[in-house]
Amino acid sequence: KAGVTQTPRYLIKTRGQQVTLSCSPISGHRSVSWYQQTPGQGLQFLFEYFSETQRNKGNFPGRFSGRQFSNSRSEMNVSTLELGDSALYLCASSFAGGGYGYTFGSGTRLTVV
Amino acid sequence: GDSVTQMEGPVTLSEEAFLTINCTYTATGYPSLFWYVQYPGEGLQLLLKATKADDKGSNKGFEATYRKETTSFHLEKGSVQVSDSAVYFCALSASSNAGGTSYGKLTFGQGTILTVHP
C-alpha cells in the first residue's frame, strides 16, 4: 500500500514569494495534518483537514493556509515568505486520528533565501 | 495545554547496550501515546503506540508501557544496534473528548538523538 507522498522534496524560494506544497495521503485516510519542523522549535502543528474541512489550527500567522480536495489530497500554501519559514514541512495522514495513529510523509525541505 | 517532555540528549551508547529514553506527559483524560523515529533526511516513522493505561507497545525490539499513575511512556530496548542511530520523538494525541483542539494534532517532545557506536 502506498505511503504518504509529499511533493516536491526540496524547494528554494526567495523572501516575499509564495509557495505551495502538496500531500497525497494513504488511500482511505481522510485526515491530513501538517507540521513544521525546525531545529529551534521542534515539531509544531500547523493545521488539520478532514473531509475537506479544517478542523483544527495551530498558532501560525495567516500567511500559512491549506486546503483539502475531495480525493483527500491536501495542499499547504505559505505567502510572503520570510527567512524564518525555512524548515522541513511534514504531512501526516490518518484514518480517523487519535489512537489510530498517523503516518508521515518524507517531508518537503523549504529554504528561503 | 498538553505537553511532552523527553530526556535531553544526545545519548551515545555502544552496540548491544541497554537503552532507555524517558518520556513524561501532561494531558487531560486518556491520551494516546506514540514513539516516532526519524532517520537523517527522512520523515517520521511510527515505532510503537499505546492507547490506554497499562498498554505495552512493542516493535523491532523496542517497548514502552503507558503508565497513567506516573504519566510516563519510557522507551526501552535491551540491545541496541548501530542501525538504531536516529532521533526519537515521544508524542501524544489528546483524547477524543478534548474537543476541536485535539483533532489531527500530535504534541511532540523535543526529540532525543541516539548514536550507537560499534
Side-chain angles (χ1 to χ4, degrees), chain B residues 3 22 25 28 40 45 56 65 68:
Chain B
S3 67
N22 290 339
Y25 68 90
T28 56
Q45 297 178 23
K56 177 185 280 188
T65 301
K68 180 68 174 172

Side-chain angles (χ1 to χ4, degrees), chain A residues 67-84:
Chain A
R67 58 178 176 168
Q68 186 180 34
F69 302 94
S70 58
N71 62 357
S72 293
R73 189 177 72 84
S74 177
E75 288 182 347
M76 189 191 102
N77 184 275
V78 188
S79 62
T80 320
L81 285 165
E82 300 176 0
L83 295 179

Side-chain angles (χ1 to χ4, degrees), chain A:
Chain A
K1 155 164 143 171
V4 178
T5 303
Q6 290 188 248
T7 56
R9 286 298 306 274
Y10 302 92
L11 266 178
I12 300 176
K13 290 288 188 178
T14 304
R15 259 185 313 175
Q17 287 186 314
Q18 75 165 15
V19 67
T20 299
L21 312 182
S22 179
C23 173
S24 293
I26 289 173
S27 178
H29 286 189
R30 292 189 292 167
S31 170
V32 175
S33 302
W34 289 88
Y35 293 83
Q36 181 194 66
Q37 185 179 25
T38 59
Q41 298 298 317
L43 284 150
Q44 294 187 287
F45 173 75
L46 281 155
F47 30 66
E48 187 254 8
Y49 287 85
F50 186 89
S51 293
E52 302 180 65
T53 301
Q54 185 183 89
R55 294 196 302 181
N56 199 3
K57 186 174 176 1
N59 295 323
F60 278 82
R63 300 185 297 107
F64 291 82
S65 63
R67 58 178 176 168
Q68 186 180 34
F69 302 94
S70 58
N71 62 357
S72 293
R73 189 177 72 84
S74 177
E75 288 182 347
M76 189 191 102
N77 184 275
V78 188
S79 62
T80 320
L81 285 165
E82 300 176 0
L83 295 179
D85 296 333
S86 295
L88 180 67
Y89 290 88
L90 293 164
C91 162
S93 79
S94 177
F95 175 72
Y100 285 93
Y102 301 81
T103 302
F104 283 78
S106 297
T108 294
R109 171 74 63 184
L110 172 64
T111 303
V112 182
V113 297

Side-chain angles (χ1 to χ4, degrees), chain B residues 34-103:
Chain B
F34 306 87
W35 276 100
Y36 282 88
V37 58
Q38 186 174 36
Y39 297 99
E42 298 184 14
L44 278 70
Q45 297 178 23
L46 178 64
L47 185 58
L48 53 84
K49 69 175 183 179
T51 58
K52 60 183 188 295
D54 300 325
D55 264 2
K56 177 185 280 188
S58 61
N59 186 27
K60 299 180 182 179
F62 291 90
E63 293 183 339
T65 301
Y66 187 165
R67 302 287 187 199
K68 180 68 174 172
E69 64 276 12
T70 54
T71 61
S72 65
F73 193 55
H74 305 321
L75 182 68
E76 297 182 335
K77 186 175 186 184
S79 176
V80 292
Q81 306 300 311
V82 172
S83 57
D84 293 327
S85 298
V87 183
Y88 291 81
F89 293 92
C90 183
L92 73 80
S93 176
S95 56
S96 56
N97 59 8
T101 58
S102 70
Y103 293 134

